[in-house]
Amino acid sequence: MFPKVNDHLYIQIATSDAEEAEIEYKSRIAETEDNTLLIEIPIQEKTGRLKKLFIGDELSVYFVTEGGVKNYFYTHVIGHKEDVIRMIRINKPELDNIFKVQRRSFLRVNAELELAAKLENGTRFLVRTDDIGGGGTSFLSDANVKLEVGNKLSCWLLVPYRSGMAEHVNFIGEVVRIKLLDNGKSLAMLQFASITDGERQKIIRYCFERQFDFRNR
């Protein structure tokens, strides 16, 4: 489904400025054309600050459809239009490049990310993830790490983005399954037992970027 006139768009700007990259702006589609969307100047709702966009700016965007489904896509600014209001012209995404994220069903991707974890007994270890999604992650561990189903782990995940910046994501994970592998290692599967919406959104953004890259190889 394509976004339509009067739909609200929620926008983050691809930038190496870590603080700016985290800010979410809200806009509205004022007009549509064959290959472009014309949107109002984005505003940061918490502060009321308007965001000036320039030709070439890369944007991570989502809009919400029925049932709370978030529809993500990438686009970039290609121009401006002066009418009754000043509008920004952005590239209209291909339908195949709009990714749906259900409210209770999260996109999951293969990913080798650095994960630091601490058990409740104080044991610390560093591993690489096998996959990641908005609902949990899995990682490979060796015999030196003693894990059991039900263990709670305090975790710090390093998440890199296309812009070149990286974020640390903090969460509490619960081991829900352990699979022994032929090479003597084990695959531990974690679900997020405690994670803020902001931290989860960082992971969802990473998954979206990865999925987008896979489709465009």
Side-chain angles (χ1 to χ4, degrees), residues 13 18 24-25 31-32 37 56 68 71 140 143 166 169 179 194 198 203:
I13 300 163
E24 182 176 275
Y25 298 94
E31 297 180 23
T32 62
L37 303 173
N71 301 262
L140 295 169
V169 177
K179 181 180 179 181
S194 177
I203 293 173

Side-chain angles (χ1 to χ4, degrees), residues 2-202:
F2 286 111
K4 57 187 183 299
V5 171
N6 289 326
D7 278 353
H8 287 107
L9 301 182
Y10 300 87
I11 298 168
Q12 287 179 293
I13 300 163
T15 173
S16 58
D17 184 324
E19 289 187 9
E20 178 64 28
E22 283 302 302
I23 297 174
E24 182 176 275
Y25 298 94
K26 185 177 180 180
S27 182
R28 184 183 69 88
I29 298 176
E31 297 180 23
T32 62
E33 300 172 336
D34 288 344
N35 298 309
T36 62
L37 303 173
L38 287 159
I39 66 172
E40 296 174 350
I41 296 175
I43 186 171
Q44 185 181 0
E45 290 189 283
K46 289 183 180 179
T47 64
R49 179 169 69 95
L50 295 174
K51 178 60 180 177
K52 187 175 183 179
L53 295 178
F54 300 92
I55 293 174
D57 280 347
E58 294 187 3
L59 312 175
S60 172
V61 181
Y62 74 85
F63 60 100
V64 181
T65 50
E66 188 176 353
V69 177
K70 290 184 178 180
N71 301 262
Y72 288 82
F73 63 91
Y74 269 108
T75 185
H76 59 277
V77 178
I78 57 177
H80 300 85
K81 180 179 178 180
E82 297 285 351
D83 203 337
V84 177
I85 59 172
R86 181 174 174 83
M87 293 179 285
I88 299 160
R89 181 175 276 109
I90 63 175
N91 193 52
K92 187 176 181 180
E94 298 289 336
L95 190 58
D96 287 347
N97 287 331
I98 299 176
F99 303 91
K100 298 182 185 297
V101 178
Q102 305 288 343
R103 179 175 290 174
R104 297 188 179 275
S105 176
F106 298 106
L107 180 69
R108 203 172 183 96
V109 297
N110 293 328
E112 293 186 15
L113 303 178
E114 186 176 285
L115 176 71
K118 183 176 74 171
L119 285 164
E120 291 174 300
N121 65 10
T123 300
R124 298 173 182 267
F125 56 93
L126 187 65
V127 291
R128 307 286 292 185
T129 63
D130 185 64
D131 67 11
I132 185 75
T137 185
S138 65
F139 62 84
L140 295 169
S141 66
D142 56 34
N144 293 327
V145 179
K146 305 297 184 183
L147 294 174
E148 296 179 355
V149 171
N151 282 158
K152 294 286 185 66
L153 307 177
S154 299
C155 298
W156 298 264
L157 181 72
L158 183 63
V159 179
Y161 296 118
R162 297 172 80 212
S163 64
M165 65 172 283
E167 290 274 11
H168 282 94
V169 177
N170 302 320
F171 62 88
I172 303 296
E174 180 179 354
V175 179
V176 294
R177 185 182 173 196
I178 298 174
K179 181 180 179 181
L180 297 178
L181 305 178
D182 293 338
N183 60 7
K185 294 193 174 188
S186 61
L187 181 68
M189 301 169 198
L190 293 182
Q191 69 178 11
F192 296 142
S194 177
I195 186 171
T196 67
D197 287 342
E199 300 292 80
R200 195 194 304 273
Q201 282 300 321
K202 293 176 185 178

